[in-house]
Amino acid sequence: MIQPVNYSTLPTDLHPKALPNHVAVIMDGNGRWATQRGMPRIAGHRQGAKTVKDLLRCCKDWGIGALTVYAFSTENWRRPMEEVTFLLRLFDRLLRRELAEMQREGVRIQFLGDLSPLPERLQDLMQEAMTVTHANQRVQFNVAVNYGGRQELVAATRHIAQQVACGALSLEQVDEESLSRALLTYPLPDPDLLIRTSGEQRLSNFLPWQLAYTELYFTDLLWPEFDRAAFHQALQWYQRRQRRFGGLAPTPLAQGS
Ligand code: FPP
């Protein structure tokens, strides 16, 4: 008889030493999930927020050190005003409601992106959440808000150009390491696994530098449907991959490389 999987602990078919250290997620399909059920799009975002919460807890329970989610892109301002307003209020509400629990569970939260156009109250809340959880080490939770990958690269390039102009860095010292240091994700390692839901197969300006060697996993599930069993499947797929980083000798992840 097939035993049901207990998702409160790491499923036994997953190799604990070959888990990704850092998982990035493009949470796509909230609107379609709601529309399919005859509900307004915002109901999909509300449900999607529950899915993120469970995935974060799952990362914590299973020993995955960092989760980075794309919550609001620089392009998302083009959505109808009511939807944008709803999303910003949802971030506000979630932060107020979940901060104490995140703190208790050892979550370090970080917001990636240009927060300056957000309502001041929300900016203050985000700043407070980052400060309060700063020393937590169980799992790092990065939320990309008003984030655009190309914009991040432009800002990093400007920062480096400034350092060169003022003599703090020589031209020869400009390399991959110095550029990585100027990115919002520093000092986190690059994501090992990217998950995008809803059948779309694009990066949509999400972490273009950091995803250069990342394994890309696409699923037709809509974001609110992406539960622990779906994450389990993504990790099974990841552990079957052979990461070569441009070299020749393949290293099967599941052999604990
Ligand atoms: C994409 O689905 C989803 C978003 C742009 C918003 C994601 C936000 C949340 C899940 C809310 C909470 C998150 C955090 C981390 C606080 P879509 O609306 O583009 O769906 P569609 O492609 O079906 O229209």
Side-chain angles (χ1 to χ4, degrees):
M1 198 180 89
I2 298 171
Q3 293 298 317
V5 181
N6 170 9
Y7 283 120
S8 61
T9 52
L10 184 71
T12 51
D13 63 339
L14 291 177
H15 196 300
K17 290 216 174 92
L19 288 171
N21 292 312
H22 183 179
V23 174
V25 184
I26 302 178
M27 313 179 285
D28 203 1
N30 289 347
R32 274 166 283 172
W33 180 88
T35 308
Q36 281 174 6
R37 286 160 179 76
M39 299 193 281
R41 292 175 51 82
I42 56 171
H45 296 315
R46 208 179 282 124
Q47 193 61 33
K50 292 188 183 147
T51 306
V52 191
K53 187 178 167 187
D54 196 42
L55 182 63
L56 177 62
R57 182 160 288 135
C58 192
C59 287
K60 193 203 76 177
D61 292 346
W62 293 0
I64 292 170
L67 174 68
T68 299
V69 300
Y70 207 2
F72 194 90
S73 72
T74 46
E75 289 75 32
N76 285 152
W77 295 106
R78 296 189 204 132
R79 294 188 175 207
M81 205 193 39
E82 312 82 75
E83 186 169 337
V84 170
T85 308
F86 177 85
L87 277 171
L88 298 181
R89 288 209 182 119
L90 182 62
F91 298 151
D92 192 297
R93 221 174 27 245
L94 285 172
L95 267 182
R96 280 176 200 285
R97 208 174 59 204
E98 306 294 342
L99 184 57
E101 195 175 335
M102 286 200 278
Q103 176 67 352
R104 257 198 320 275
E105 295 197 16
V107 178
R108 178 180 178 184
I109 189 163
Q110 193 96 37
F111 291 94
L112 314 179
D114 175 12
L115 306 181
S116 64
L118 304 178
E120 223 162 278
R121 197 177 88 134
L122 180 56
Q123 286 185 49
D124 291 348
L125 255 178
M126 288 172 158
Q127 198 48 58
E128 187 200 335
M130 289 194 274
T131 308
V132 167
T133 63
H134 183 76
N136 293 344
Q137 293 186 352
R138 190 82 192 266
V139 60
Q140 167 128 8
F141 182 37
N142 294 321
V143 185
V145 177
N146 194 29
Y147 172 87
R150 289 187 174 182
Q151 291 86 329
E152 180 188 29
L153 288 171
V154 169
T157 308
R158 278 198 188 141
H159 175 74
I160 286 176
Q162 234 164 23
Q163 285 186 306
V164 172
C166 74
L169 207 65
S170 73
L171 206 52
E172 292 68 38
Q173 286 171 313
V174 179
D175 55 12
E176 292 190 17
E177 172 59 25
S178 56
L179 207 132
S180 294
R181 260 187 275 127
L183 297 176
L184 298 166
T185 43
Y186 185 79
L188 265 188
D190 290 337
D192 306 289
L193 171 66
L194 169 88
I195 296 168
R196 183 169 189 157
T197 53
S198 93
E200 307 294 350
Q201 303 196 355
R202 299 186 284 281
L203 295 185
S204 300
N205 207 15
F206 188 47
L207 306 173
W209 173 281
Q210 296 90 332
L211 295 179
Y213 289 102
T214 302
E215 298 294 330
L216 308 179
Y217 179 81
F218 301 106
T219 166
D220 287 336
L221 288 176
L222 302 172
W223 177 247
E225 298 166 338
F226 194 83
D227 57 9
R228 283 188 177 216
F231 190 41
H232 177 197
Q233 258 184 31
L235 293 174
Q236 282 174 325
W237 174 88
Y238 173 79
Q239 294 201 334
R240 286 196 301 269
R241 305 295 304 160
Q242 299 180 327
R243 302 190 76 193
R244 289 194 292 273
F245 296 98
L248 288 179
T251 316
L253 279 162
Q255 285 178 15
S257 57

